[in-house]
Amino acid sequence: MARTQVGIIGAGPAGLLLSYLLHAEGIDAVVLEARSREYVERRVRAGVCEHPTVELLREIGVGARMDAEGLPHHGFSLRFDGADHRIALTELTGKSIMVYGQQEIVKDLIAAHEAKGHPVEFEVADVELSDVDGERPRVRYRDVDGKPRELQCAVIAGCDGFHGVSRPSAPGLKPIDREYPFAWLGVLARTPPSHEELIYTYHERGFALHSMRSPEVTRLYLQVPQDEKIEEWPDDRIWSELSARLATSDGFSLHEGPILDKSVTPMRSFVAEPMRYGRLFLAGDAAHIVPPTGAKGMNLAVADVRVLSRALVELLRHNRSELAESYSDTCLARVWRAEHFSWSMTSMLHTAPGADDFQRRLQLSQLRYTVSSTAAATSLAENYVGLPFE
């Protein structure tokens, strides 16, 4: 049986960043991941990094490629009434965001682990957590060769996402959730972005988002019905619908190109309270999900593990438990602020099935107020660039 101080389940941004922060403080950690390294390095997810996330990655020394290849953005557009209305993030807040794919952050963190010899085990199977309410929780699993292994830990960090094994291993958590009556059809296209910044579009046919991953690759989204099948969306239909929703009165031109990937993602809000059970701590999507409209998912995971890393250093090095005991409450304060922001952006920009003219006029009223009021625009900008860490 092997031993470590912190067993980390999941090699996404949360698990890898937590491991890196702990190793920097002299705390042993082992990361276990069910997928292959190739899979997690190519898994396309979030692309917007909040200001605090960018600053943290720079601070710990893993931000060099992000600064070289990422795309700093100082604003974004709300598009409605056939026109763009820019939210000037930097002018309003003094801060900016960085467009840099989650998979690129994962690549950077894996490379940093490799360079320092920190252990990450890929392609593990049959992961089971036990004794999480005791002093020595255990992780049983099969390694890449199928051999049974057991890892004894002082603490387990569940960073394995919404469908992982960690949250079901914590009995008594209270799930609080909401499902939305629509989904996002997301595409990755090999074509230069059609606009220098993100465009969030309110349209009577449904929401659309123009984003990007690089100067050569564009990320685009369409609101679709909740039960939509990707087979119903050939490439020509996708481009036609995007063109219709993103059209402006001044003749906006959408760049088209080969679609590299497309998928339909359901929309939900979910929070599990508390984010801790005994010696098992949940972080990131294992504990909470936000609609992607507010670009908060990965950034919340980063905020979680920043708090958790400090709590575990205090607990395991100094035998002080105050930060560990307050971990859940500390994180949930930020989580619920992000949940509200993401819900409000979603509600303001999406067309609900069966929505009547009253509801549509309320949405347009809110959009017009947001872009005409400095106070309203500043509030949106402050939340979007990321509230300061505690």
Side-chain angles (χ1 to χ4, degrees), residues 202 351-363:
Y202 172 85
T351 303
D356 57 16
D357 196 45
F358 180 81
Q359 183 171 341
R360 288 191 290 270
R361 288 180 183 274
L362 288 180
Q363 290 174 291

Side-chain angles (χ1 to χ4, degrees), residues 111-122:
H113 276 72
E114 197 170 51
K116 293 181 178 293
H118 301 330
V120 180
E121 293 192 42
F122 293 99

Side-chain angles (χ1 to χ4, degrees), residues 210-270:
H210 169 280
S211 183
M212 63 284 292
R213 288 296 178 267
S214 75
E216 297 81 31
V217 176
T218 301
R219 185 73 162 153
L220 300 140
Y221 298 92
L222 287 167
Q223 176 189 342
V224 296
Q226 187 179 35
D227 57 353
E228 196 79 334
K229 305 298 183 186
I230 194 64
E231 294 78 17
E232 298 176 12
W233 286 87
D235 293 0
D236 288 348
R237 183 186 179 193
I238 291 172
W239 287 118
S240 175
E241 191 65 23
L242 282 166
S243 295
R245 297 190 196 183
L246 290 167
T248 61
S249 56
D250 61 358
F252 172 79
S253 178
L254 178 65
H255 299 162
E256 298 184 12
I259 291 180
L260 308 175
D261 180 72
K262 55 184 174 181
S263 61
V264 174
T265 302
M267 302 277 281
R268 63 164 59 93
S269 297
F270 175 89

Side-chain angles (χ1 to χ4, degrees), residues 150-164:
E150 185 169 320
L151 185 64
Q152 186 182 82
C153 316
V155 165
I156 297 175
C159 305
D160 50 345
F162 184 76
H163 299 289

Side-chain angles (χ1 to χ4, degrees), residues 178 180-182 184 200 202 207 223 267-269 290-295 338-352 359 363:
R178 167 168 293 183
Y180 296 83
F182 38 75
W184 272 17
Y200 288 80
Y202 172 85
F207 169 78
Q223 176 189 342
M267 302 277 281
R268 63 164 59 93
S269 297
V290 290
T293 325
E339 290 284 0
H340 182 270
F341 177 70
S342 300
W343 167 82
S344 65
M345 286 279 284
T346 301
S347 301
M348 182 171 65
L349 289 162
H350 289 72
T351 303
Q359 183 171 341
Q363 290 174 291

